[in-house]
């Protein structure tokens, strides 16, 4: 079975967004041709996807310095778990579709935060 991970990186409703409208049409056609595929959708703005923040950096540095996961404060454990689950979700996907607008020649901030979560040395490159 093929898993398709769909990343929505646009705060607009679909009715007001070119990229999300294209995504909707694409997925409708895609699923007609790939009826057994599983589609997992992440809407980065709806879920307020977190930046690469202090809790995460502090937790990673603590682990590098020899601490265990259990040593970390609750907030850091929660953040690290969330980070790891997002990385694993990307690894588990067979196909990834990203829908985003162009903002000042860049991708939206939440999409950058997602890239920072799935580009993990030793795991995804
Ligand atoms: C804050 C902001 C910055 C933008 N920057 C660019 C840009 O650098 N280059 C460009 O071609 N379009 C730019 N646009 C236009 C959008 O890319 C364009 O409206 C696109 O259709 C947005 O996708 P959407 O309809 O899915 O939201 C910008 C729009 C916004 C709101």
């Amino acid at each position: 079975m093929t898993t398709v991970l769909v990343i929505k990186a646009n705060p607009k409703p679909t009715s007001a967004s070119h990229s999300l409208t294209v995504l909707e049409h694409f997925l409708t056609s895609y699923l007609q041709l790939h009826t057994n595929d599983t589609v997992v959708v992440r809407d980065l703005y709806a879920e307020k996807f977190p930046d690469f923040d202090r809790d995460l950096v502090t937790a990673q540095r603590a682990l590098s310095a020899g601490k265990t996961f259990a040593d970390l404060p609750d907030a850091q454990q929660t953040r690290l778990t969330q980070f790891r689950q997002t990385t694993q979700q990307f690894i588990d996907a067979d196909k990834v579709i990203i829908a985003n607008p162009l903002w000042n020649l860049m991708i939206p901030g939440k999409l950058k935060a997602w890239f920072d979560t799935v580009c993990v040395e030793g795991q995804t490159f």
Side-chain angles (χ1 to χ4, degrees):
M1 192 200 299
T2 299
T3 299
V4 182
L5 176 61
V6 176
I7 303 298
K8 290 185 177 182
N10 196 323
K12 289 180 184 172
T14 299
S15 59
S17 161
H18 292 90
S19 56
L20 294 179
T21 299
V22 170
L23 173 68
E24 192 172 276
H25 285 288
F26 177 84
L27 282 179
T28 300
S29 299
Y30 180 89
L31 286 172
Q32 285 169 356
L33 295 170
H34 303 83
T35 51
N36 290 325
D37 284 15
T38 300
V39 173
V40 179
V41 178
R42 290 201 73 159
D43 186 336
L44 302 183
Y45 281 89
E47 67 179 80
K48 296 182 169 49
F49 193 83
D51 291 325
F52 207 91
D53 58 15
R54 185 167 293 173
D55 276 334
L56 181 61
V57 171
T58 307
Q60 290 182 331
R61 286 169 56 84
L63 293 182
S64 295
K67 284 195 175 179
T68 67
F69 183 83
D71 294 329
L72 303 175
D74 286 349
Q76 291 178 27
Q77 287 189 6
T78 300
R79 188 67 188 88
L80 196 60
T81 298
Q82 185 183 38
F83 178 89
R84 288 172 170 175
Q85 285 172 345
T86 298
T87 310
Q88 192 58 47
Q89 183 182 52
F90 173 75
I91 292 169
D92 291 341
D94 300 294
K95 300 176 182 177
V96 179
I97 300 169
I98 300 173
N100 66 275
L102 183 69
W103 284 352
N104 296 311
L105 304 182
M106 283 174 267
I107 57 174
K110 294 290 177 200
L111 184 54
K112 173 62 165 62
W114 181 81
F115 276 121
D116 290 339
T117 309
V118 302
C119 296
V120 181
E121 184 185 358
Q123 284 189 267
T124 58
F125 71 93

